[in-house]
Amino acid sequence: MTFLHKKQEFKPQELSDYIAPDCHGLNFFEVDGNLRDLLHVYMPDDLRQHMEPHYNRLGEISGNQLDDWSREADKHVPVLHARDARGRNEDWIEFHPSYRKMEDVAFKEFGFHRMSHCKGVLGWQEKVPPIGKYVFQYIFGQSEFGQLCPISATDTSAMLIERYADDATKEKLLDRMYSQDMDKILKGTQFMTEKTGGSDVSQISLQARHEDGEWKLYGEKWFCSAADGDVALLLARPEGAPEGNSGLALFAMPRRREDGSRNPYRIVRLKDKLGTKSMASGEIIFEGATAYPLGEVGAHPNQGLKMMMDQVNFSRLSHGVRGAAMMRRCLNEALTVANYRKAFGETIIDKPLLRRQLMKLMVPTEQALSMFMYVAVNLEQGEKGDEAAARRTRILTPLLKYRTARDNIRVATGAMEVRGGNGYIEDWVNARLVRDAHLGVLWEGTSNINSLDVTTRAVARVGAHEDLGEDLTRQIDSNTAMPGQFAGQLKGLVDQSVKFAEEVARKGKETHARKAASALYHVTTATLMANEGAELGAAGKDARRLLLSRMVIDHKLGAANPLSIEADAFDTAATDALLNDAPVSLEEASRILTL
């Protein structure tokens, strides 16, 4: 699997040698045996074989230069310059050179923003499917979290402009939004939040007026991430439009007008954020900024919100990938420390209680990896016309966003604790991981919003839970390598979780929305990991994901008595196998499952 699980020989030459190292200098693709195994499960062979050298190259960059640049950019935050030397409102944001170097990797060298829209990126003859793109983001995100916001925003903004803008707007913007030339590229962003609220967009008050043959924007936006973006998508209310969601229209606003002059809006200040400090978020006032409508404006109702929702699945999936990436980095940091540091006469990886705590980091990390790959595959199938896959995507994306955002905070905090006091010091990556992790529960909807989206919309209105349950059951039934008794237990849990979510939705039990969403997430990931482990084991590869599946069942879906000492034969044997580099055969995994 990965040498992160191997104890390092400890021969201190000086006092500083007692301080455990971090993961800097590793190739983040090479050390991730779980990712490499799952490429065989979720990715077509021709795509996998073509992309693996590129993943390896990015893994080397991510563990070395990108890691350095990310730390530097976090310490040297963006600076807003409100006016030029002659007093004109030509505001611009100054970034540390390290931030620009990270942009070069993402946009120029690998074309993250372009690969889903244009053929030929990285030599792949077709458009890169979602699974291929999100693996790149997963590797990149293990060093830099904040910049994945403008990367995703450019990708999804271009998608909406391509779908809904008129030909003239497309001609103005799209070629440069897809460019990998950093002197020509137009990077995208989305300005949505207002003082009246974030999740409740029905209260948006930014006004669009049709003046002199153009649409112009007046008002302000309160929290605008990637404030330096060249093309911003915004929801605004055309003058005379009704209140509520039906009155909202979608616009694309360039930073500069066609004559090259600055579009009249001002970044009035940058937010002093807890995390993602490398990426600029600000407050913006619009003073008649020219904007181009997407779709027909003035129809009743306007379709702006509906069009914007097309972006939500992609954005939530991207957020889930970021959470998975950060958890992987946290787990790797914890394993590196645990296999190096000595305390009370032995390496701390041998301490039974720490081994249990490492499992609490590993299980959600592996859940997130399986889940985002499954969502990416369903997203592609849905785009190709598979209606059941499209409905599954509708429920999977809020499930992924909801749980990975919450799990990321616990995993980041747990990894910091493994490093000890040094983990609280900004010299080490753990402190930044803890700070950045908290943003996940705010972007693209809080935990309440995402869990309610699952129950009140994806379940109650779409019936997507049924499509999800059917596909999970199909996976269990069709995998003949999965141990029979374990397969039967899984099927029962799938059925129970689907029925519970339907009951919560039917009875309108909002207070149980989080419980229902968590159950669906856990039963989905348990099934995925069981299927993955059995499939890989049957092919002579590592079957350890079967053990992770039971960990989810026992500790996430079980009802343990908090005042009892549970039988721990399985946990002990599974932990020993999972904290060892040696592959676990299907026979051995099946034996441990019976304990």
Side-chain angles (χ1 to χ4, degrees):
M1 293 292 290
T2 156
F3 61 80
L4 288 170
H5 294 83
K6 292 182 179 178
K7 285 188 283 187
Q8 299 183 41
E9 188 175 0
F10 186 71
K11 292 183 177 180
Q13 302 298 313
E14 54 185 61
L15 289 177
S16 61
D17 290 338
Y18 284 87
I19 305 300
D22 60 15
C23 292
H24 181 79
L26 301 179
N27 182 317
F28 288 168
F29 180 69
E30 279 188 356
V31 300
D32 196 345
N34 295 285
L35 171 62
R36 297 199 313 273
D37 279 350
L38 291 190
L39 294 182
H40 291 268
V41 176
Y42 290 101
M43 194 174 284
D45 286 341
D46 56 346
L47 179 65
R48 175 182 57 78
Q49 292 165 4
H50 182 88
M51 288 302 176
E52 279 182 334
H54 298 293
Y55 294 148
N56 189 71
R57 183 162 57 93
L58 180 59
E60 180 68 21
I61 295 170
S62 187
N64 289 276
Q65 301 100 310
L66 188 68
D67 197 38
D68 285 330
W69 298 331
S70 181
R71 297 180 198 219
E72 290 172 358
D74 183 69
K75 289 179 170 60
H76 299 86
V77 299
V79 177
L80 174 65
H81 299 271
R83 287 185 160 193
D84 68 8
R86 300 174 65 183
R88 293 172 295 193
N89 292 325
E90 290 278 348
D91 55 6
W92 61 283
I93 300 173
E94 178 184 0
F95 290 90
H96 191 270
S98 292
Y99 187 83
R100 297 305 186 193
K101 291 175 183 177
M102 292 191 294
E103 284 186 325
D104 284 346
V105 172
F107 290 101
K108 180 181 180 179
E109 186 170 353
F110 286 91
F112 290 174
H113 65 300
R114 172 185 170 92
M115 61 176 57
S116 287
H117 308 282
C118 305
K119 297 179 180 180
V121 176
L122 297 175
W124 184 248
Q125 295 304 306
E126 301 299 322
K127 297 176 183 179
V128 176
I131 184 68
K133 174 178 68 177
Y134 289 116
V135 170
F136 280 112
Q137 293 191 19
Y138 172 75
I139 298 170
F140 185 95
Q142 292 179 46
S143 281
E144 169 59 16
F145 178 75
Q147 198 163 127
L148 285 172
C149 172
I151 291 167
S152 177
T154 303
D155 180 358
T156 58
S157 296
M159 176 194 72
L160 291 179
I161 291 169
E162 187 168 353
R163 286 185 181 181
Y164 297 116
D166 59 28
D167 290 340
T169 302
K170 292 178 185 178
E171 188 174 349
K172 289 184 182 81
L173 303 176
L174 271 184
D175 282 349
R176 292 183 64 188
M177 293 188 78
Y178 291 148
S179 177
Q180 290 179 252
D181 185 335
M182 299 309 289
D183 293 327
K184 296 180 180 179
I185 189 173
L186 296 177
K187 297 189 291 291
T189 185
Q190 289 142 19
F191 300 160
M192 295 295 162
T193 304
E194 298 190 8
K195 290 178 180 177
T196 51
S199 299
D200 185 3
V201 297
S202 66
Q203 299 187 72
I204 281 177
S205 60
L206 181 69
Q207 190 175 76
R209 303 177 194 166
H210 200 255
E211 300 174 344
D212 302 322
E214 293 183 330
W215 284 99
K216 297 185 178 181
L217 303 176
Y218 297 88
E220 61 181 283
K221 292 287 185 179
W222 179 240
F223 198 107
C224 303
S225 290
D228 61 311
D230 301 296
V231 179
L233 292 194
L234 316 92
L235 287 173
R237 197 174 303 280
E239 193 171 26
E243 298 297 315
N245 291 335
S246 65
L248 297 175
L250 183 62
F251 294 88
M253 181 195 70
R255 183 169 178 78
R256 297 200 169 272
R257 295 185 290 196
E258 289 188 72
D259 62 4
S261 63
R262 180 75 163 81
N263 211 355
Y265 70 87
R266 291 184 294 124
I267 306 170
V268 293
R269 71 166 175 168
L270 298 183
K271 300 287 194 181
D272 186 7
K273 298 176 292 181
L274 172 68
T276 62
K277 289 178 175 289
S278 65
M279 183 267 297
S281 300
E283 299 166 20
I284 294 179
I285 293 178
F286 304 85
E287 300 167 324
T290 298
Y292 306 116
L294 273 62
E296 185 180 357
V297 177
H300 297 289
N302 287 300
Q303 297 296 306
L305 180 58
K306 183 178 180 181
M307 288 186 285
M308 194 66 213
M309 291 303 292
D310 281 3
Q311 177 262 359
V312 169
N313 278 341
F314 293 89
S315 185
R316 286 178 172 169
L317 173 50
S318 180
H319 276 292
V321 173
R322 295 173 220 180
M326 291 179 67
M327 283 189 271
R328 176 65 62 193
R329 179 61 184 272
C330 292
L331 175 62
N332 286 349
E333 291 291 330
L335 289 171
T336 298
V337 173
N339 280 293
Y340 183 91
R341 185 180 170 204
K342 282 187 173 292
F344 307 105
E346 60 183 338
T347 308
I348 62 173
I349 189 71
D350 295 325
K351 302 292 186 181
L353 187 54
L354 181 64
R355 294 173 77 80
R356 182 181 178 93
Q357 295 309 112
L358 288 172
M359 288 299 100
K360 292 185 177 182
L361 308 184
M362 182 182 291
V363 170
T365 299
E366 300 300 345
Q367 286 181 276
L369 175 61
S370 295
M371 188 69 156
F372 95 68
M373 299 186 92
Y374 178 59
V375 182
V377 169
N378 276 274
L379 178 63
E380 180 186 7
Q381 293 171 345
E383 289 178 332
K384 291 180 177 179
D386 186 331
E387 294 182 0
R391 289 191 294 270
R392 285 194 295 272
T393 303
R394 178 63 186 85
I395 195 170
L396 287 168
T397 50
L399 286 175
L400 175 72
K401 165 61 173 62
Y402 163 57
R403 276 272 34 120
T404 54
R406 298 193 64 76
D407 290 343
N408 192 12
I409 294 172
R410 289 190 175 186
V411 171
T413 304
M416 178 179 67
E417 187 176 9
V418 173
R419 188 170 291 280
N422 284 332
Y424 201 65
I425 306 302
E426 294 287 351
D427 291 341
W428 302 87
V429 72
N430 295 90
R432 175 163 57 89
L433 290 168
V434 170
R435 289 190 279 107
D436 286 357
H438 283 77
L439 189 54
V441 295
L442 305 176
W443 272 347
E444 288 298 341
T446 62
S447 300
N448 285 351
I449 292 296
N450 278 276
S451 61
L452 286 170
D453 188 37
V454 170
T455 56
T456 63
R457 295 182 181 89
V459 174
R461 298 182 187 176
V462 181
H465 60 305
E466 296 177 355
D467 297 280
L468 176 60
E470 288 170 4
D471 192 59
L472 297 178
T473 300
R474 178 198 59 76
Q475 288 188 41
I476 297 168
D477 286 339
S478 62
N479 194 325
T480 56
M482 194 180 301
Q485 186 173 355
F486 188 67
Q489 182 183 14
L490 263 178
K491 285 177 66 175
L493 288 169
V494 169
D495 186 57
Q496 291 176 52
S497 299
V498 168
K499 287 180 177 177
F500 179 65
E502 183 171 337
E503 182 181 12
V504 170
R506 187 180 67 252
K507 294 183 178 179
K509 297 288 187 179
E510 283 196 7
T511 54
H512 293 280
R514 288 192 182 202
K515 185 177 179 181
S518 292
L520 286 174
Y521 178 83
H522 294 317
V523 81
T524 298
T525 54
T527 301
L528 296 177
M529 290 194 290
N531 185 61
E532 295 156 1
E535 181 177 332
L536 289 166
K541 300 179 184 295
D542 200 328
R544 68 178 57 218
R545 301 189 80 79
L546 272 166
L547 307 180
L548 290 164
S549 174
R550 180 167 162 189
M551 286 272 192
V552 174
I553 291 173
D554 288 356
H555 298 287
K556 305 293 186 180
L557 293 168
N561 182 348
L563 300 180
S564 68
I565 299 177
E566 68 271 20
D568 58 2
F570 166 76
D571 277 356
T572 299
T575 298
D576 289 345
L578 292 168
L579 291 178
N580 192 304
D581 270 345
V584 179
S585 69
L586 181 58
E587 292 73 20
E588 178 64 5
S590 299
R591 182 192 69 79
I592 295 174
L593 284 177
T594 64
L595 296 177

